[in-house]
Amino acid sequence: MTDKPVTLAVVIGAHGVAGEVRLKLFGEGAETLKSYGSFDAAGRMLTLKSVRPGPNGAVARFAEIGDRTAAEGLRGTELTVPRSALPALGEGEYYHADLIDLPCFSSDGEGLGHVVAVENFGAGDIIEVERPNGKRFMAPMHAVTIADERAVIEAAFAA
């Protein structure tokens, strides 16, 4: 996989007056952010000083943000790390970010389009595929094989 940036959180607002920010998380929780130390925030590096669970996700303090005004200025900013900074995966595991834009083929060899989203409505992951004509369909991950930088979907699910 390329070393594209992976979004781990987004700043949703300020918390208090000392420069802390509220984060919406896209990973396993607030504790996992501690292992990264710094994040790219729209071209600016932010050094994590502390993070704890908070309303709607987490509350974090960055060394470069010293007051509420600076914290409010980050609203909507994505916090990213390079793909290479993420932990290694076990057999059969995948990061959603690795699936987006993968070309898709049916198990019969038909080109289907590319992955545009990965959803989970409670019963397992589902990929959304956009066909070249712009129409979309969904397939459950149990019917998808990821190999050689492509997704192969069982033909019955690609109708």
Side-chain angles (χ1 to χ4, degrees):
M1 297 291 164
T2 62
D3 206 17
K4 62 185 176 183
V6 176
T7 303
L8 297 181
V10 65
V11 178
I12 57 175
H15 181 83
V17 296
E20 289 184 313
V21 295
R22 292 180 294 118
L23 301 176
K24 177 180 178 182
L25 303 176
F26 301 117
E28 293 292 317
E31 285 298 311
T32 60
L33 295 180
K34 290 180 181 178
S35 64
Y36 298 101
S38 64
F39 300 88
D40 184 303
R44 174 182 179 189
M45 290 305 294
L46 295 179
T47 307
L48 185 66
K49 288 178 67 176
S50 67
V51 64
R52 66 183 186 279
N56 302 317
V59 175
R61 179 181 302 276
F62 294 100
E64 297 79 5
I65 307 301
D67 60 32
R68 184 174 181 89
T69 303
E72 279 294 339
L74 289 176
R75 183 185 300 266
T77 302
E78 294 179 353
L79 303 178
T80 66
V81 296
R83 168 61 178 87
S84 62
L86 299 176
L89 295 169
E91 182 67 31
E93 294 180 324
Y94 53 88
Y95 287 115
H96 290 190
D98 292 343
L99 301 181
I100 303 300
D101 290 329
L102 272 183
C104 298
F105 297 86
S106 74
S107 55
D108 294 338
E110 175 191 0
L112 299 174
H114 65 279
V115 177
V116 292
V118 181
E119 304 288 350
N120 188 318
F121 301 108
D125 286 345
I126 298 171
I127 63 167
E128 185 173 0
V129 177
E130 184 173 308
R131 292 184 179 271
N133 65 7
K135 294 191 179 198
R136 294 181 177 197
F137 71 94
M138 293 181 155
M141 275 307 293
H142 69 77
V144 180
T145 303
I146 306 297
D148 302 323
E149 302 284 325
R150 61 194 254 164
V152 178
I153 301 170
E154 292 176 22
F157 291 94

